[in-house]
Amino acid sequence: MPRRRLIITGLVLVVISLLAAGCFHSDDEGNGNGQAAQTGTDGDTGEGQEGGSVFQQVQDRGEVVCGVNEAVPGFGVSTEGGEYEGFDIDYCRVIAAAVLGDPNAVSFSPLTAEQRFTALQSGEIDVLVRNTTFTSSRDGAEGARFLHTTYYDGQGMMVRADSEYQTLEDLNGATICVLSGTTTELNLETVFSAQGIEYSPLPFEENDPLQQAFIQGRCDAWTSDISQLAGVRSAWPENQGGPEGLRILEEIMSKEPLGPAVRDGDDQWADAVNWAVLSTILAEELGVTSENVDQMAEESQDPDVQRLLGAPVEGEPFDPGLGLDPDFAATVIREVGNYGEIFDRNIGTGSSLGLDRGLNALWTDGGLQYAPPYR
Amino acid sequence: MRVLRWAFQAVFLFLVVAFLLYIWGNLTGNFERLGIRTDFRYLRQPAGFAIPDSDFRSSQSIFQALLQGAQNTAKVAFIGILLATLLGVIAGVARLSTNWLVRRTAALYVETFRNIPVLLIIIFLWSGLLQLPAIGEGREWLGLMSVSNRGIVVPWFERTGSVAVFLAVALVALLAAAAVWVWRTRRFDRTGEPPRRLRFAGGVFLAGLIVAFFLSGQPFTISLPETGRFGTTGGFRLATEYAALLIALVLYTGSHIAEIVRGAILAVHKGQTEASNALGLSGVQRLRYVVLPQAFRVSIPPMANQYLNLTKNSSLAVAIGYYELTRITGISISQGGPAPQAIFVLMLFYLMFSLFIALVTNLLNRKLEIPGR
């Protein structure tokens, strides 16, 4: 009997050692890879997960994995057919069109506010386009790299239209519904405590239970980015009075620059995503739309347009060395549209949200959307 | 042979430690590559968010916020364990009742709640409580109680002066009550006179409390709920989220405890029941003096398990917006705190809760063990 036990113990031990050896072996490999990536690439392509840039991984995979929101009308919603649509969703398509030439080569990964940075850090997603505010600690501690701001937003406060609240001070003592894990939560505390307004926050992880609580009168006001509030308002259930049943207070509580983010330390991928986004703004500036893009590419004599669309100038198309095809911008504009088109279709005057361009107008129209020159 | 056994132990320990070191190295290595911190300094940063129904201010550190979260978790766990035990024992005893209706009702309760995921019960109850009237049209009963979907408010004490004197005199009253208890016990042992310890000691303590109250200059008054525009001031408020979480956990865990109690009672030898019947004990006496004391002994280890489950299940409150440990950890992560460290700290907190519950139940277990076994 003891002998038998000895044999069994021995066997178990052998198995464990084998497993451990396997672990250490892969450890060595991992280190080797890391070093190879560091020495071989000399920093300019950066180091992604498997030693290469995400740019290369995306091209090998033939698909961009995009972290999105699925519950904000206008920015990112999943429709009944299982499709995704919205402003942020279109920017995922812009990136796919630029990198892979196909706006539909995107795999959408819906994330909650609290999950998003972990998903980005771990490499579960390639790019985060989920109405995410650019802040220093997200840039620093969360290891994210924020790219060109696609939407300049501010935090607002929404109340029922039949309530008597006109300013934030009227909300003294109120209960305020807020989405947890957002900058909104911090701004709320900052603004209200600075003004000495008493309140009680009620946090939610998802928009759906928050909406339920708000409808039932569990909270008096709902705070979020104004664009999000406008989206919620546009889709407000008819039995609750429809969009007219809600009112957004005029006060703006914060700055909320929303834009795409990628992992730190991968410059090639960051550049590609950034210029894919910038190309839509440059196109609007130059008057290139999804309708006239092919015509412009052939006929335009404007050297700026020719460079952007990759039309041959003196026999050679302009290539800024981003690793993207010279005509990537033409693909983006043809398949998805320029900034103005994307804005109007999803959140602007052509949509149920009806938001003004406001800060998001081109710099030439007094807004903040300003893209560096493409040359 | 013994040397060999020690050698195995040592090798095994080495492998475990090596494996953990490898995982840790892997994690920190990847973090360094991404430029993410691996220390715990984030705990000292100002939290920046508010926690309702507490003294916590947003300028305090994240660690303070976690302590407040632990306090809120403890508030659910402690009261939940007490109520679930009470409910479970009643339901467990009722399942063995000779009364058909009582037996069936208890069975219906246990079978229903034992078979529904607890998260569903929490969300269901919360949605139900939201159907209560909104604050403006809330119900009030005689100005004593206010019910709305913001919560249930009942009268409570309000401090108006120093309670130090009061507490000191109350402590003396407690000691006096304990002395009376011992005296009654000794007298019972000596003379066989019915001890009535609870009545005597309780009376002494209550009298002491009244004396203390007036002696210390009435340091608190009763505050009644007053309904304002946004909610009620004064009184003690049982917030909707807390109430939903607590009731759901009590109902769910209570149904499990009921089964444990039923099993434990069935495990008491039938001869014990027959013997107490032969002695002419009433049904209540039989339960109180013969069956339950023996049943409890059997049921303590599985009960401890349920207590741990209840404590850990309180983290499901993230679905309905109650500020407990998991919620606050989630907020601190999305505010720029590093996720692995924050989850590690969260695990430590729950481990402390679990160890504390295990400690208490183990002590109870040892005390109730049959001597010499």
Side-chain angles (χ1 to χ4, degrees):
Chain A
M1 196 58 194
R3 185 165 200 170
R4 201 155 152 206
R5 194 192 269 167
L6 195 69
I7 293 171
I8 292 171
T9 322
L11 275 176
V12 169
L13 215 66
V14 167
V15 171
I16 291 177
S17 345
L18 279 176
L19 280 174
C23 290
F24 283 116
H25 187 58
S26 63
D27 181 26
D28 289 340
E29 263 181 4
N31 280 343
N33 261 353
Q35 273 156 12
Q38 266 166 11
T39 49
T41 54
D42 206 10
D44 70 343
T45 48
E47 320 120 34
Q49 285 276 297
E50 280 103 46
S53 168
V54 176
F55 191 90
Q56 192 57 47
Q57 290 170 33
V58 166
Q59 283 189 327
D60 292 346
R61 203 189 305 135
E63 195 176 59
V64 178
V65 183
C66 199
V68 296
N69 200 331
E70 55 173 350
V72 178
F75 282 83
V77 279
S78 53
T79 59
E80 277 165 22
E83 294 286 306
Y84 289 85
E85 60 181 37
F87 184 82
D88 284 344
I89 304 297
D90 275 355
Y91 270 99
C92 290
R93 296 193 194 282
V94 163
I95 294 161
V99 178
L100 300 165
D102 178 5
N104 294 317
V106 190
S107 162
F108 295 105
S109 173
L111 300 168
T112 67
E114 293 181 0
Q115 292 167 342
R116 54 188 161 182
F117 288 107
T118 315
L120 185 66
Q121 287 161 6
S122 63
E124 205 180 302
I125 55 174
D126 300 321
V127 56
L128 178 71
V129 196
R130 191 199 171 284
N131 40 24
T132 300
T133 308
F134 182 0
T135 70
S136 58
S137 57
R138 287 174 171 180
D139 206 350
E142 297 281 18
R145 162 123 186 240
F146 283 86
L147 304 169
H148 186 84
T149 298
T150 50
Y151 189 89
Y152 292 95
D153 209 343
Q155 185 174 337
M157 187 72 75
M158 184 164 68
V159 296
R160 274 172 288 274
D162 55 13
S163 63
E164 64 227 60
Y165 319 121
Q166 299 298 336
T167 63
L168 293 182
E169 272 148 40
D170 293 342
L171 287 166
N172 200 354
T175 301
I176 292 166
C177 280
V178 55
L179 209 57
S180 194
T182 58
T183 48
T184 325
E185 208 165 16
L186 301 186
N187 293 330
L188 177 68
E189 171 64 17
T190 311
V191 171
F192 274 45
S193 63
Q195 298 194 21
I197 306 173
E198 293 272 318
Y199 75 105
S200 171
L202 192 63
F204 290 92
E205 201 151 81
E206 314 255 359
N207 265 333
D208 293 336
L210 194 157
Q211 178 159 336
Q212 193 191 349
F214 185 70
I215 288 177
Q216 296 294 342
R218 174 67 184 88
C219 49
D220 304 290
W222 179 344
T223 186
S224 188
D225 294 350
I226 289 176
S227 62
Q228 276 205 43
L229 293 178
V232 169
R233 184 173 174 271
S234 74
W236 200 243
E238 280 305 321
N239 60 7
Q240 297 296 324
E244 299 306 312
L246 297 173
R247 185 156 48 85
I248 297 172
L249 300 187
E250 274 170 21
E251 274 157 293
I252 293 172
M253 297 159 67
S254 68
K255 302 186 280 192
E256 307 287 336
L258 312 178
V262 297
R263 266 194 304 284
D264 255 347
D266 187 348
D267 290 345
Q268 192 189 4
W269 176 239
D271 288 345
V273 172
N274 205 25
W275 281 97
V277 172
L278 290 169
S279 71
T280 61
I281 297 167
L282 289 165
E284 190 187 9
E285 213 175 298
L286 296 169
V288 182
T289 66
S290 57
E291 314 246 302
N292 69 10
V293 57
D294 290 325
Q295 189 196 351
M296 293 273 266
E298 277 173 31
E299 296 171 8
S300 177
Q301 294 305 312
D302 182 346
D304 282 339
V305 173
Q306 286 176 322
R307 270 199 306 276
L308 179 65
L309 300 181
V313 187
E314 291 162 17
E316 270 294 308
F318 174 69
D319 183 358
L322 293 166
L324 296 165
D325 284 340
D327 64 343
F328 81 92
T331 315
V332 167
I333 310 306
R334 190 187 315 113
E335 303 290 346
V336 193
N338 69 26
Y339 183 83
E341 287 177 290
I342 295 173
F343 190 102
D344 283 343
R345 186 194 319 147
N346 292 299
I347 53 183
T349 43
S351 72
S352 54
L353 272 73
L355 290 171
D356 286 334
R357 283 292 286 269
L359 290 175
N360 296 292
L362 292 181
W363 62 288
T364 46
D365 300 331
L368 294 175
Q369 288 297 355
Y370 180 108
Y374 189 76
R375 55 166 66 247
Chain B
M1 196 57 211
R2 179 173 288 171
V3 176
L4 209 57
R5 199 179 294 161
W6 278 105
F8 281 151
Q9 300 266 1
V11 169
F12 186 69
L13 186 71
F14 169 75
L15 288 176
V16 168
V17 170
F19 180 66
L20 290 179
L21 278 179
Y22 161 66
I23 299 242
W24 180 248
N26 188 18
L27 184 75
T28 47
N30 276 327
F31 269 15
E32 241 154 73
R33 262 209 337 243
L34 289 169
I36 299 173
R37 284 201 202 125
T38 49
D39 55 34
F40 286 87
R41 265 183 302 180
Y42 80 99
L43 285 171
R44 265 179 274 153
Q45 305 225 322
F49 52 86
I51 301 176
D53 294 329
S54 75
D55 297 329
F56 180 78
R57 279 167 291 112
S58 59
S59 54
Q60 285 175 292
S61 68
I62 285 178
F63 186 67
Q64 297 282 337
L66 285 172
L67 287 183
Q68 182 63 47
Q71 203 181 320
N72 285 353
T73 296
K75 221 157 70 178
V76 171
F78 182 70
I79 299 178
I81 285 172
L82 289 184
L83 293 180
T85 309
L86 196 68
L87 179 69
V89 170
I90 291 172
V93 171
R95 279 207 76 172
L96 296 170
S97 164
T98 47
N99 183 323
W100 184 87
L101 188 65
V102 171
R103 199 169 62 230
R104 286 288 136 190
T105 314
L108 183 71
Y109 156 66
V110 169
E111 289 308 325
T112 312
F113 282 93
R114 216 159 59 106
N115 292 306
I116 302 178
V118 62
L119 180 61
L120 219 61
I121 306 178
I122 293 174
I123 294 178
F124 179 78
L125 274 176
W126 177 72
S127 308
L129 287 176
L130 281 186
Q131 304 300 323
L132 287 171
I135 190 73
E137 54 226 40
R139 298 282 150 72
E140 286 194 38
W141 283 300
L142 305 167
L144 285 178
M145 204 172 154
S146 142
V147 176
S148 74
N149 65 9
R150 296 284 161 93
I152 297 159
V153 188
V154 292
W156 200 246
F157 304 106
E158 192 180 20
R159 261 168 71 169
T160 50
S162 162
V163 285
V165 179
F166 174 79
L167 285 180
V169 181
L171 189 68
V172 173
L174 191 68
L175 289 176
V180 169
W181 183 286
V182 173
W183 169 62
R184 290 308 301 179
T185 312
R186 292 229 177 108
R187 193 175 164 84
F188 169 63
D189 288 346
R190 240 188 4 256
T191 65
E193 186 184 317
R196 302 211 166 96
R197 285 172 291 206
L198 206 60
R199 256 174 257 180
F200 274 87
V204 167
F205 185 58
L206 259 183
L209 279 188
I210 293 168
V211 170
F213 179 70
F214 287 105
L215 207 68
S216 58
Q218 307 182 15
F220 45 77
T221 55
I222 286 175
S223 99
L224 297 175
E226 272 173 52
T227 308
R229 192 162 54 135
F230 289 116
T232 43
T233 49
F236 175 77
R237 175 165 160 270
L238 197 65
T240 312
E241 287 70 32
Y242 175 73
L245 179 66
L246 183 69
I247 298 171
L249 289 177
V250 165
L251 286 175
Y252 179 76
T253 315
S255 68
H256 282 81
I257 290 179
E259 286 298 87
I260 293 171
V261 169
R262 184 170 74 109
I265 290 175
L266 289 178
V268 175
H269 198 273
K270 210 174 141 199
Q272 299 279 332
T273 312
E274 286 165 356
S276 48
N277 282 341
L279 282 172
L281 296 182
S282 74
V284 175
Q285 281 175 328
R286 193 185 67 223
L287 271 178
R288 164 75 183 79
Y289 295 109
V290 180
V291 178
L292 283 186
Q294 299 184 63
F296 271 130
R297 196 171 292 145
V298 185
S299 65
I300 284 177
M303 290 276 241
N305 221 351
Q306 291 304 321
Y307 295 162
L308 294 177
N309 279 347
L310 188 146
T311 310
K312 289 181 284 187
N313 282 342
S314 70
S315 62
L316 291 171
V318 290
I320 57 167
Y322 176 66
Y323 279 90
E324 43 70 61
L325 265 177
T326 310
R327 147 79 52 209
I328 288 173
T329 301
I331 298 176
S332 73
I333 289 174
S334 49
Q335 276 356 329
Q341 287 97 307
I343 298 292
F344 181 73
V345 171
L346 178 67
M347 292 198 302
L348 280 186
F349 267 108
Y350 279 113
L351 185 67
M352 277 195 287
F353 273 113
S354 296
L355 288 180
F356 179 72
I357 291 170
L359 178 77
V360 172
T361 46
N362 280 346
L363 284 178
L364 202 63
N365 200 18
R366 196 166 302 161
K367 190 154 188 300
L368 291 184
E369 243 171 8
I370 298 175
R373 242 198 223 174

